């Protein structure tokens, strides 16, 4: 006789039957409930998104999967602003087909990653301020100007020899900005701008930039002006905000003259535009 | 314990396992009986209590069996209510005396210069940075079998999985590192690796070339394992010499 025979009720046919019924009911309710919960929480609502070709500042080192998207700029009366094309019904996004004759479609879907897609800033139809507004705190020179002031060309007069002790001087003068803010100047997307001699060469296809692919070269010459280049400043790895010459430690990872992300040491080369493809996330549907 | 147990030498791990080497050496219980004063009194007290307990068990007709549990009500429930009330009370007390600071909402437009997990997670964070170990397979045309981030997560699974199976391994009877220098060295390399991988995770703050740091992360544990092995082996030789010397002093060889 086993020692523990009196511990448990004896196994009977009826008991086995009840156990089977109760067990299968519990299992199926867990299954149905789980499916309902997954369905409710992952409802694939959203607009736009999908495979999107884009032009990026190249990711040269670190864990980031791809470069950060370049924002074409235009300069009006000295004020620098990012280009935001008109909404295209068919594309479901703000779209500039064959941007500047480069053969590349510039689309608001370029910026639909890292949670930016759910902000009002990149909603294609929303009326926002496309001017780059001064974002103080990152570069000390920007503290001389008010926060939220439009960034203008004359702030960059010393761009040919500007330096802040990180890397070499004269590579370019960077600025942090917010883009597509609301009427109160809030809730914009983080952007960095560089004015550099390199960008001027890039636009003209001079020197080492003569080897750029034709469509990328013509895109860049359309998207930059007077040596200014801008990109959406969100690391494609885990959505931190990197920077050009913002971190002392960037030299250890070859990022002193490049865009360096302090979180996981990704490095982007702002003077190396590349065409690449990513899967843009859908925007949440607009409720009003 | 019944009387005949004292003479039985058990080999199944039960009992004390202490065997007198010969008839002249006193057994443990005999030593206890010989002691004086308080220890003698304590021994007698426990021995009497044990004896009474044993007598009661033998006299009763109660079927001896393991106690499965206490009743849920009221025993378990009262205990649980008491414990729960205590901890809820502590939470209320701490939150009332130290109200939490409510800082500004996070600014998604700025990332702090130093951004790291809590220090006790550095080892896991470091395992996520093993991208250079992710092989680029020529069979896949030089591309990697899995993304570096997947590789890092798998490294965590491997390490945590290994630590998780340790309790299920038969660890043998050794109680001191000197008794098993090899496994002690393996354990030491694990301890050192947990430190070096933590250093790797903060490679942007360590004043050292990051490639050198990456190499040292894996070399230092091996070096420390070698040193541990050598030291323990040497220590064991020393112990053996000591033991042998005493043994021969007590019983000189004929």
């Amino acid at each position: 006789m086993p020692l523990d025979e009196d511990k448990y009720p004896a196994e009977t046919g009826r008991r086995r039957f009840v156990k089977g019924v109760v067990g299968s009911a519990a299992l199926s309710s867990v299954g149905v409930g789980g499916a309902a919960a997954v369905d409710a929480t992952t409802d694939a609502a959203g607009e736009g998104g999908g495979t999107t070709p884009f032009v990026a500042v190249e990711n040269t080192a670190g864990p980031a999967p791809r470069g950060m998207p370049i924002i074409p700029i235009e300069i009006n009366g000295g004020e620098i602003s990012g280009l935001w094309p008109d909404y295209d019904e068919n594309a479901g996004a703000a779209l500039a087909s064959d941007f500047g004759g480069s053969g590349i479609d510039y689309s608001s879907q370029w910026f639909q990653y890292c949670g930016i897609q759910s902000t009002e800033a990149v909603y294609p139809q929303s009326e926002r301020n496309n001017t780059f507004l001064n974002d103080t705190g990152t570069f000390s020179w920007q503290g001389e100007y008010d926060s939220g002031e439009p960034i203008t060309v004359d702030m960059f007069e010393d761009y040919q020899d500007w330096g802040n002790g990180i890397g070499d001087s004269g590579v370019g003068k960077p600025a942090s900005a917010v883009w597509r803010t609301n009427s109160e100047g809030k809730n914009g997307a983080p952007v960095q701008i560089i004015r550099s001699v390199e960008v001027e060469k890039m636009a003209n296809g001079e020197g080492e930039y003569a080897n750029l692919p034709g469509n990328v070269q013509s895109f860049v010459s359309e998207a930059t002006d007077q040596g200014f280049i801008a990109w959406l400043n969100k690391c494609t790895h885990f959505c931190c905000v990197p920077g050009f010459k913002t971190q002392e430690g960037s030299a250890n990872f070859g990022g002193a003259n490049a865009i360096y992300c302090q979180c996981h040491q990704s490095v982007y080369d702002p003077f190396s535009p590349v065409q690449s493809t990513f899967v843009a996330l859908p925007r949440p549907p607009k409720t009003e | 314990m019944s009387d005949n147990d004292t003479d039985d030498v058990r080999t199944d791990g039960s009992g004390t396992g202490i065997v007198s080497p010969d008839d002249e050496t006193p057994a443990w219980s005999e030593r206890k009986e010989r002691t004086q004063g308080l220890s003698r009194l304590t021994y007698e007290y426990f021995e009497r209590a044990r004896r009474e307990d044993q007598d009661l068990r033998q006299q009763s007709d109660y079927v001896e069996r393991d106690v499965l549990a206490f009743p849920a009500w009221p025993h378990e429930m009262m205990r649980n209510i008491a414990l729960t009330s205590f901890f809820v009370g502590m939470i209320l007390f701490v939150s009332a005396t130290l109200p939490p600071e409510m800082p500004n909402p996070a600014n998604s437009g700025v990332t702090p210069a130093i951004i790291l997990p809590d220090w006790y997670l550095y080892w896991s964070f470091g395992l996520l940075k093993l991208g250079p170990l992710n092989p680029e397979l020529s069979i896949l045309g030089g591309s990697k079998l899995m993304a570096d981030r997947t590789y890092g997560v798998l490294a965590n699974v491997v390490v945590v999985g290994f630590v998780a199976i340790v309790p299920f391994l038969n660890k043998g009877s050794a109680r001191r590192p000197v008794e098993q220098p090899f496994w002690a060295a393996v354990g030491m390399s694990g301890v050192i690796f947990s430190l070096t991988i933590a250093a790797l995770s903060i490679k942007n703050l360590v004043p050292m070339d990051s490639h050198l740091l990456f190499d040292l992360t894996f070399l230092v544990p091996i070096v420390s394992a070698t040193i541990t092995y050598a030291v323990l082996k040497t220590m064991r030789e020393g112990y053996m010499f000591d033991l042998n010397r005493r043994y021969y002093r007590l019983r000189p060889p004929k």
Side-chain angles (χ1 to χ4, degrees):
Chain A
M1 167 178 147
L3 280 174
D4 56 349
E5 195 174 343
D6 58 340
K7 282 181 187 169
Y8 305 106
E11 195 77 354
T12 63
R14 180 174 180 277
R15 192 172 161 75
R16 281 183 62 201
F17 174 73
V18 171
K19 271 175 137 178
V21 169
V22 171
S24 58
L27 268 182
S28 56
S29 64
V30 165
V32 170
V38 167
D39 189 46
T41 51
T42 62
D43 193 14
E47 305 161 357
T51 308
T52 308
F54 71 115
V55 181
V57 290
E58 187 189 6
N59 168 236
T60 53
R66 60 179 185 274
M68 295 185 287
I70 290 175
I71 303 171
I73 60 159
E74 53 188 4
I75 298 176
N76 291 321
E79 288 186 5
I80 308 161
S81 59
L83 206 84
W84 193 256
D86 291 329
Y87 181 64
D88 185 324
E89 284 282 347
N90 300 326
L95 180 71
S97 280
D98 190 15
F99 179 77
S102 63
I104 294 170
D105 296 344
Y106 168 54
S107 150
S108 62
Q109 292 193 10
W110 288 20
F111 313 116
Q112 291 182 16
Y113 69 98
C114 268
I116 303 240
Q117 80 276 359
S118 54
T119 64
E120 187 77 3
V122 300
Y123 195 74
Q125 292 111 308
S126 60
E127 284 299 320
R128 310 282 280 195
N129 185 359
N130 287 331
T131 311
F132 293 138
L133 302 182
N134 190 21
D135 186 18
T136 56
T138 310
F139 299 106
S140 58
W141 73 262
Q142 287 184 280
E144 299 165 18
Y145 304 93
D146 288 338
S147 187
E149 189 182 329
I151 289 184
T152 53
V153 175
D154 57 4
M155 295 177 181
F156 293 86
E157 274 171 356
D158 57 343
Y159 75 102
Q160 291 186 347
D161 46 26
W162 181 88
N164 63 351
I166 299 170
D168 306 324
S169 294
V171 181
K173 183 172 182 179
S176 278
V178 283
W179 182 46
R180 287 185 63 73
T181 52
N182 60 15
S183 52
E184 295 163 8
K186 296 264 190 296
N187 300 329
V191 162
Q192 274 208 340
I193 313 161
I194 298 181
R195 187 180 197 188
S196 167
V197 185
E198 297 294 313
V199 178
E200 292 169 350
K201 288 186 198 161
M202 218 153 65
N204 299 330
E206 294 167 6
E208 56 182 304
Y209 304 107
N211 299 328
L212 284 177
N215 54 349
V216 172
Q217 205 281 323
S218 53
F219 177 87
V220 166
S221 62
E222 281 299 317
T224 66
D225 193 7
Q226 299 179 33
F228 284 100
I229 190 172
W231 66 90
L232 186 77
N233 201 24
K234 271 273 175 185
C235 186
T236 53
H237 180 228
F238 278 152
C239 312
C240 302
V241 180
F244 178 81
K245 294 184 186 291
T246 51
Q247 303 294 330
E248 293 279 354
S250 55
N252 292 339
F253 299 92
N257 289 319
I259 308 160
Y260 167 78
C261 183
Q262 63 267 39
C263 300
H264 301 89
Q265 291 77 47
S266 286
V267 176
Y268 304 85
D269 185 356
F271 310 121
S272 171
V274 288
Q275 194 174 15
S276 147
T277 303
F278 82 115
V279 179
L281 300 176
R283 301 180 300 272
K286 213 159 185 182
T287 42
E288 73 259 39
Chain B
M1 196 189 281
S2 57
D3 288 342
N4 60 345
D5 273 359
T6 48
D7 300 333
D8 253 4
V9 176
R10 292 191 170 189
T11 54
D12 60 354
S14 67
T16 59
I18 300 170
V19 183
S20 309
D22 49 47
D23 293 341
E24 286 147 34
T25 312
W28 188 246
S29 54
E30 288 166 338
R31 282 179 201 264
K32 278 284 186 190
E33 285 161 15
R34 284 183 201 165
T35 51
Q36 302 293 313
L38 181 64
S39 54
R40 169 84 197 169
L41 193 69
T42 314
Y43 168 76
E44 283 180 358
Y45 175 81
F46 274 110
E47 184 56 32
R48 179 172 172 186
R50 192 193 62 75
R51 181 76 207 181
E52 285 175 359
D53 196 57
Q54 187 182 350
D55 291 346
L56 278 175
R57 279 164 192 268
Q58 281 169 348
Q59 285 160 17
S60 83
D61 57 351
Y62 179 72
V63 181
E64 196 170 339
R65 65 180 215 184
D66 296 335
V67 176
L68 281 178
F70 294 104
W73 177 263
H75 299 67
E76 298 268 3
M77 203 60 86
M78 289 311 286
R79 184 201 60 186
N80 291 356
I81 289 172
L83 287 175
T84 309
S85 310
F86 174 76
F87 283 108
V88 170
M90 286 305 289
I91 291 169
L92 292 176
F93 175 72
V94 170
S95 59
T97 48
L98 305 167
E101 181 192 3
M102 190 63 81
N104 293 324
N107 180 2
S108 63
V110 179
T111 301
I114 297 175
I115 175 159
L116 287 171
D118 289 329
W119 61 265
Y120 48 84
L121 295 175
Y122 279 2
W123 62 271
S124 174
F125 192 50
L127 287 174
L128 297 176
K129 299 191 173 184
L130 297 184
L133 292 186
N134 194 358
E136 288 162 356
L137 301 174
S138 54
I139 199 172
L140 298 174
S143 64
K144 294 176 174 179
L145 186 61
M146 60 188 113
D148 282 347
R149 53 179 186 274
T150 318
Y151 189 82
V153 171
L154 276 185
N156 272 275
V157 169
V158 168
V159 169
V160 173
F162 179 74
V163 172
I165 62 168
V166 164
F168 301 100
L169 300 176
N170 187 347
K171 293 188 288 297
S173 57
R175 293 294 190 90
R176 303 163 195 82
V178 279
E179 293 174 35
Q180 289 195 333
F182 177 76
W183 291 108
V186 169
M188 196 62 192
S189 72
V191 170
I192 299 295
F193 180 67
S194 72
L195 297 177
T196 55
I197 196 80
L200 177 69
S201 76
I202 51 169
K203 62 182 177 181
N204 54 328
L205 302 182
V206 177
M208 186 192 288
D209 179 62
S210 63
H211 296 104
L212 176 64
L213 182 62
F214 189 86
D215 295 343
L216 285 181
T217 299
F218 301 97
L219 288 178
V220 169
I222 294 172
V223 169
S224 71
T226 312
I227 293 174
T228 307
Y229 185 75
V231 167
L232 290 179
K233 271 287 201 186
T234 313
M235 283 171 70
R236 192 160 77 166
E237 289 301 315
Y239 284 134
M240 293 305 285
F241 175 76
D242 239 27
L243 278 175
N244 289 343
R245 193 175 54 178
R246 282 187 199 167
Y247 180 81
Y248 289 124
R249 192 172 289 166
L250 284 171
R251 299 181 183 188
K254 284 171 184 168

